[in-house]
Amino acid sequence: MTDAEYVNIWMRPERPARGPKPVYSRAQITEAAVRIADAEGLEAATMRRIAAEIGAGAMSLYRYVPSRDNLVELMADRLMGEIDVTGMPSGDWRADLTRYADGLRAMWLRHPWIATVQRSLPSFGPNQLLLIERLMGVLDAFVSIDENLGLVALLTSYIEGTVREETSSAEEVRRSGLSESEWMARSYPYVDQLVKSGEYPIFTKIVMEARQPHLSRDDQFRYGLRRVLDCIAAALPPTAE
Amino acid sequence: MTDAEYVNIWMRPERPARGPKPVYSRAQITEAAVRIADAEGLEAATMRRIAAEIGAGAMSLYRYVPSRDNLVELMADRLMGEIDVTGMPSGDWRADLTRYADGLRAMWLRHPWIATVQRSLPSFGPNQLLLIERLMGVLDAFVSIDENLGLVALLTSYIEGTVREETSSAEEVRRSGLSESEWMARSYPYVDQLVKSGEYPIFTKIVMEARQPHLSRDDQFRYGLRRVLDCIAAALPPTAE
DNA sequence: AGATAACCGCGTACAACGTACCCAGTGGAG
DNA sequence: CTCCACTGGGTACGTTGTACGCGGTTATCT
């Protein structure tokens, strides 16, 4: 079986049997790539840039990783490892799911570039697998596996959807290369024109509302999360609480 | 004001005052790009490829669109236009939101590449604006604008989250260039190894369950949607029904 | 009517990307 | 010791987005 015949990175052995000791490692490369993506966006994490970060030649990375796409999969799984799900299920499903929600959101806020990579089903890295076991273990005693999948998907969708909205404008500012105030000044005329046209009353209400003092992002998230958890509670048998 | 100073495509006028008549149009270019992306994925919609599709030179496109990123924004807004929200609010909020949900999901299934483009707040294209007005008009009479934003976000997150899951493995197959059966055969050893290890009982349950006959995707979606709508109903005042 | 300036389509060119290929050197297995 | 599977990495190729400039076209101004 040649390297090209692997369809999944996780099956490919990292260390060879013979030959000189490798100087670098998958973990080290992944770490460097994540560091660059955090600071300058995923598109800045090019093979040459990552190699330079760890002091290697560009082509050396391909001894450890079959392609850039696969490296991004490694990066995504590394991020999953940041979500603390130890001790789940604890017996208090609400507390467990809240901890997961906070952890997932915090991870996304640390690594907003994760929004641009779509994970696919077959890419079950070790960290993602562990997350699935622990997280779905929380409701496993109460509902069928199908129901469990649906409820976890609902929760995760809520978290990812809201955090996507939270980070998107910040990412846009970063990608444009403009300062935030300058970017706001550039965007203003368009929004102002829409508001003044009078054709978009609800959009206008949103804009006006956005200018008022609000709950913090955290509180807003918690508020919505409580609603989702209530929704989940309604799907559980009465024995669950 | 030079072209470079526009921060938003929607402010840039399409037609000039003087000079020869343009042969092409933004709409035509966007249409061609969407057609290519549907058939071969967003990454296949390169500037040269799009230009070839409409019989133009590669650089001609830049007379109509400032950059490829902006063209993708145009494409995304064109897709928003496919969601039928005419006649909303109709007075029956459940029916309205169900129609929106079905429309959004169907659009994503037609254009799965939309998952890879992250929309940002400032990019309010005409179709997106219209969608916001109609969709948020549905609950506008019952709740505050903040509450409305939260509920619509919850609904949209559910739809996009589930449809993302639906399309991700199909997209993976397409990107790999393998046939579906060949791809399944390649993936099998890894999943099998995980199952046989005995370390992932819940993952194993998921895999076993997936081999059994199921509700259709549509029915599964409708089932989850009903749960989300019930959750929304709980947040509305009693006068809403 | 003629001059002007703003626009048109598009060919050429360049930098940056992922990565195929090749090389000389290295160290465990026989 | 010999062998060869492996190492890091240099060179090179195809593809990408797009800056620039050309010669032709047309609405506006003198």
Side-chain angles (χ1 to χ4, degrees):
Chain A
M1 190 184 228
T2 72
D3 278 3
E5 295 195 24
Y6 288 106
V7 80
N8 195 302
I9 334 172
W10 310 109
M11 289 205 72
R12 180 190 296 237
E14 170 154 22
R15 295 291 305 272
R18 288 226 296 255
K21 294 251 163 68
V23 177
Y24 315 106
S25 70
R26 270 189 201 170
Q28 183 187 1
I29 292 168
T30 307
E31 204 65 37
V34 168
R35 204 160 43 234
I36 295 168
D38 287 349
E40 305 166 49
L42 186 59
E43 79 280 358
T46 67
M47 297 305 269
R48 286 168 232 257
R49 181 89 167 69
I50 297 165
E53 181 86 3
I54 61 173
M59 291 311 292
S60 303
L61 303 188
Y62 287 94
R63 296 280 171 198
Y64 301 86
V65 163
S67 72
R68 184 174 185 274
D69 279 358
N70 279 331
L71 175 55
V72 173
E73 277 187 63
L74 257 46
M75 293 167 72
D77 192 69
R78 217 229 62 162
L79 263 47
M80 296 294 167
E82 291 187 9
I83 303 167
D84 180 21
V85 287
T86 53
M88 292 191 193
S90 72
D92 181 349
W93 67 264
R94 252 189 135 90
D96 285 351
L97 295 188
T98 301
R99 185 148 66 91
Y100 163 70
D102 287 340
L104 178 58
R105 175 165 173 267
M107 185 274 274
W108 272 62
L109 292 176
R110 279 193 300 271
H111 313 288
W113 50 267
I114 191 65
T116 65
V117 1
Q118 82 280 31
R119 274 111 336 135
S120 55
L121 239 85
S123 171
F124 286 112
N127 286 318
Q128 196 187 342
L129 279 170
L130 194 71
L131 184 66
I132 289 174
E133 289 297 317
R134 296 263 185 275
L135 177 61
M136 293 197 53
V138 170
L139 298 182
D140 191 50
F142 308 128
V143 294
S144 73
I145 198 74
D146 273 341
E147 194 85 349
N148 199 340
L149 274 170
L151 295 174
V152 165
L154 173 62
L155 176 61
T156 303
S157 293
Y158 167 73
I159 301 160
E160 294 189 356
T162 51
V163 78
R164 242 193 191 89
E165 214 162 301
E166 273 187 72
T167 56
S168 63
S169 68
E171 276 290 285
E172 188 74 6
V173 170
R174 193 189 54 68
R175 292 209 323 149
S176 72
L178 274 56
S179 75
E180 183 155 357
S181 61
E182 197 176 5
W183 181 83
M184 287 276 283
R186 293 280 176 80
S187 301
Y188 179 78
Y190 178 62
V191 172
D192 196 52
Q193 167 193 316
L194 293 174
V195 167
K196 286 222 175 89
S197 77
E199 288 182 55
Y200 306 101
I202 293 186
F203 175 78
T204 302
K205 275 170 89 169
I206 296 170
V207 171
M208 292 306 167
E209 192 68 13
R211 290 182 183 154
Q212 309 225 344
H214 262 90
L215 290 175
S216 74
R217 295 276 197 191
D218 287 7
D219 290 337
Q220 238 173 310
F221 175 72
R222 285 305 194 93
Y223 178 76
L225 177 60
R226 203 169 314 128
R227 186 161 28 220
V228 175
L229 293 180
D230 288 343
C231 182
I232 290 173
L236 301 181
T239 55
E241 289 289 352
Chain B
M1 187 183 230
T2 72
D3 277 4
E5 295 195 21
Y6 288 106
V7 79
N8 194 302
I9 333 172
W10 310 109
M11 288 206 72
R12 182 190 296 238
E14 170 154 20
R15 294 292 304 273
R18 292 226 291 256
K21 293 253 160 68
V23 177
Y24 315 106
S25 70
R26 270 189 201 170
Q28 183 187 3
I29 292 168
T30 307
E31 204 64 38
V34 168
R35 203 160 45 235
I36 295 168
D38 287 348
E40 305 164 51
L42 186 59
E43 78 280 358
T46 67
M47 298 304 271
R48 286 170 232 259
R49 182 89 167 67
I50 298 164
E53 180 86 4
I54 61 173
M59 292 311 293
S60 304
L61 303 190
Y62 287 93
R63 294 280 172 197
Y64 301 86
V65 163
S67 72
R68 184 174 184 274
D69 279 359
N70 279 331
L71 175 55
V72 173
E73 277 187 63
L74 256 47
M75 293 166 71
D77 192 69
R78 216 228 63 159
L79 262 48
M80 297 294 166
E82 290 187 10
I83 303 167
D84 179 22
V85 286
T86 53
M88 291 190 194
S90 71
D92 181 347
W93 66 265
R94 252 189 137 89
D96 285 351
L97 295 188
T98 301
R99 185 148 67 89
Y100 163 70
D102 287 341
L104 179 57
R105 175 165 173 267
M107 185 273 274
W108 272 61
L109 292 176
R110 280 193 299 271
H111 313 287
W113 49 267
I114 191 64
T116 65
V117 0
Q118 82 281 31
R119 275 109 337 135
S120 56
L121 239 84
S123 170
F124 286 113
N127 286 318
Q128 196 187 342
L129 280 169
L130 194 72
L131 184 66
I132 289 174
E133 289 298 317
R134 295 262 187 277
L135 177 60
M136 293 197 53
V138 169
L139 299 181
D140 192 50
F142 307 129
V143 293
S144 73
I145 199 75
D146 272 342
E147 194 86 349
N148 200 341
L149 274 171
L151 294 174
V152 164
L154 173 62
L155 176 61
T156 303
S157 293
Y158 167 73
I159 301 160
E160 294 188 357
T162 51
V163 78
R164 243 193 189 90
E165 215 161 300
E166 273 188 71
T167 55
S168 63
S169 68
E171 276 290 284
E172 188 75 6
V173 170
R174 193 189 54 69
R175 291 208 326 147
S176 72
L178 274 57
S179 75
E180 183 155 356
S181 60
E182 197 176 4
W183 181 85
M184 288 276 284
R186 294 279 176 80
S187 300
Y188 179 79
Y190 179 62
V191 172
D192 197 52
Q193 166 192 314
L194 293 173
V195 166
K196 287 220 175 92
S197 77
E199 289 182 55
Y200 306 102
I202 293 186
F203 175 77
T204 301
K205 274 170 88 170
I206 296 171
V207 171
M208 292 306 168
E209 192 69 13
R211 290 182 183 154
Q212 310 223 345
H214 262 92
L215 291 176
S216 74
R217 294 277 198 190
D218 287 6
D219 289 337
Q220 238 173 308
F221 175 72
R222 285 305 193 96
Y223 178 75
L225 178 60
R226 203 169 315 127
R227 185 157 35 215
V228 174
L229 293 180
D230 287 344
C231 183
I232 289 173
L236 300 181
T239 55
E241 289 290 351

